[in-house]
Amino acid sequence: MTLRTLPSIAFASSIVAEAAGPAQSVAPLQLQWGPHLAALAGIVALAVLGGVLALRNRLEEANSLAKTGDDGASTDEFLTDRERVRQLITENGGRMKQSEIVNAVDWSKAKVSRLLADLEEDGQVTKLRLGRENLVCLSGHEPTASKSPERPQNE
């Protein structure tokens, strides 16, 4: 703006003020921020709400990881198949039918049979034939009737 336009703006505003009358005052030029301000407030509110929800989810995830680490409930995910079968048999008193193992782990009969054969070969379990089923026992948990009478009991 130049100096010549400033007096004309001042003169025009004084003319408008005189035309309005002495009791009414003329408000300066105002921008209409209503819809824009509401949209901006909505965006800020959504950003804050999203941040709060993300923070809550992270805290819940951290708490759930801490809880499962303390009681050992999630350690099943990190066990090998052989360790899982041994743990299952241990939890059932050291003896378990092979069909019950199959039902407990939801694996095929062939996979369980192979795992038990490997464990038996390593001397970790003993499989005893009971009619049409196998009784799987951890070492040291075999029934006394299944032991050979030639071998002394304290071996």
Side-chain angles (χ1 to χ4, degrees):
M1 284 187 183
T2 64
L3 291 176
R4 291 185 185 183
T5 58
L6 285 177
S8 64
I9 292 174
F11 177 72
S13 64
S14 64
I15 293 175
V16 171
E18 289 175 9
Q24 297 175 348
S25 64
V26 175
L29 181 64
Q30 295 180 355
L31 297 175
Q32 296 295 326
W33 284 97
H36 300 295
L37 189 60
L40 181 63
I43 291 170
V44 169
L46 286 174
V48 169
L49 180 63
V52 168
L53 292 175
L55 181 62
R56 185 191 71 177
N57 288 343
R58 285 190 181 186
L59 290 175
E60 285 177 359
E61 183 177 311
N63 287 341
S64 68
L65 288 176
K67 287 179 184 177
T68 56
D70 292 344
D71 64 359
S74 70
T75 56
D76 292 342
E77 297 173 8
F78 304 112
L79 294 177
T80 64
D81 294 343
R82 294 173 66 155
E83 291 171 340
R84 187 169 176 198
V85 169
R86 283 186 47 94
Q87 181 183 19
L88 184 63
I89 297 169
T90 302
E91 290 172 356
N92 285 286
R95 298 180 193 166
M96 200 170 177
K97 290 182 180 178
Q98 186 170 340
S99 59
E100 292 173 355
I101 295 172
V102 171
N103 293 336
V105 293
D106 290 330
W107 295 331
S108 68
K109 292 177 184 180
K111 180 176 180 172
V112 172
S113 181
R114 274 189 317 235
L115 283 170
L116 292 175
D118 290 344
L119 288 170
E120 187 175 30
E121 187 177 300
D122 293 344
Q124 295 180 17
V125 298
T126 305
K127 285 172 46 175
L128 303 171
R129 191 76 180 159
L130 296 176
R132 296 176 60 185
E133 293 183 321
N134 287 331
L135 180 66
V136 181
C137 305
L138 291 175
S139 297
H141 290 87
E142 298 91 356
T144 52
S146 68
K147 295 182 181 175
S148 173
E150 300 165 359
R151 191 166 51 173
Q153 288 288 347
N154 54 1
E155 275 189 6

